[in-house]
Amino acid sequence: MKVSDALISESELASRLRLSVTRLARRLRQQASAEAHISPSQQSALSSVDRLGPVTLGDLAAVERVQPPTMTRIMSGLEQAGLVSRHVDEHDRRIARVQTTVAGRRFLERSRGRKDLYLSNRIRTLDADDRAVLARAAVILEQLLEGEGK
């Protein structure tokens, strides 16, 4: 890290982080798209379904921050691709829950593996000090995302 990097303002740091995170996210999406026959919105929703377990479309729409009709379209595409399945709720037949299928979980595993490999290969080019800084930055970014950062 250069001395000038440590002396930048919070707004400049925010701008640089935003740009770097956006570019990294784009590169990771490109790694996932090697096989992807689904959109980034579908991939995000599929990951949420996998993480949350059987979930209603309304709850999923809230998590993904989209309108329910949008989530219905996203899930229809994933269902047609065989990556999720819908089941009527046992207690309230008006409610449907979605969950990942075996094919959906395999798709996510392959996608995550490609992304992890890409990052591992990039990180491998750094020296030990820079890798240690990234390890600390990962913890700090996780805190920011959880709202627990200082």
Side-chain angles (χ1 to χ4, degrees):
M1 171 167 40
K2 295 179 253 172
V3 173
S4 61
D5 289 341
L7 302 176
I8 64 174
S9 70
E10 289 173 3
S11 62
E12 175 67 13
L13 176 59
S15 180
R16 290 177 66 184
L17 277 171
R18 176 193 45 76
L19 184 57
S20 296
V21 168
T22 300
R23 286 178 175 167
L24 179 58
R26 184 179 314 122
R27 298 254 169 79
L28 292 174
R29 277 193 307 274
Q30 291 167 348
Q31 296 304 308
S33 69
E35 169 193 349
H37 49 280
I38 65 174
S39 71
S41 295
Q42 288 174 314
Q43 179 130 9
S44 177
L46 180 61
S47 292
S48 291
V49 170
D50 190 55
R51 185 180 76 250
L52 299 171
V55 62
T56 66
L57 293 183
D59 289 345
L60 188 56
V63 167
E64 291 290 311
R65 297 181 184 214
V66 299
Q67 295 299 312
T70 300
M71 187 51 63
T72 298
R73 284 191 299 277
I74 289 170
M75 284 298 115
S76 292
L78 291 173
E79 191 172 24
Q80 288 174 359
L83 302 176
V84 299
S85 60
R86 290 185 210 221
H87 304 281
V88 175
D89 185 275
E90 299 172 1
H91 306 299
D92 186 344
R93 301 198 60 77
R94 298 170 295 173
I95 297 174
R97 297 186 184 278
V98 292
Q99 64 186 43
T100 52
T101 61
V102 171
R105 286 188 294 282
R106 285 184 185 145
F107 176 88
L108 287 171
E109 288 170 7
R110 286 189 306 271
S111 175
R112 290 170 181 156
R114 278 192 301 280
K115 292 175 191 179
D116 288 350
L117 180 61
Y118 169 80
L119 276 177
S120 293
N121 288 336
R122 299 299 301 148
I123 290 168
R124 199 172 288 121
T125 68
L126 302 174
D127 64 32
D129 289 341
D130 286 344
R131 287 193 304 271
V133 169
L134 276 181
R136 178 72 182 123
V139 170
I140 294 167
L141 288 170
E142 289 166 354
Q143 289 173 345
L144 281 175
L145 291 170
E146 294 170 2
E148 297 174 4
K150 295 179 181 168

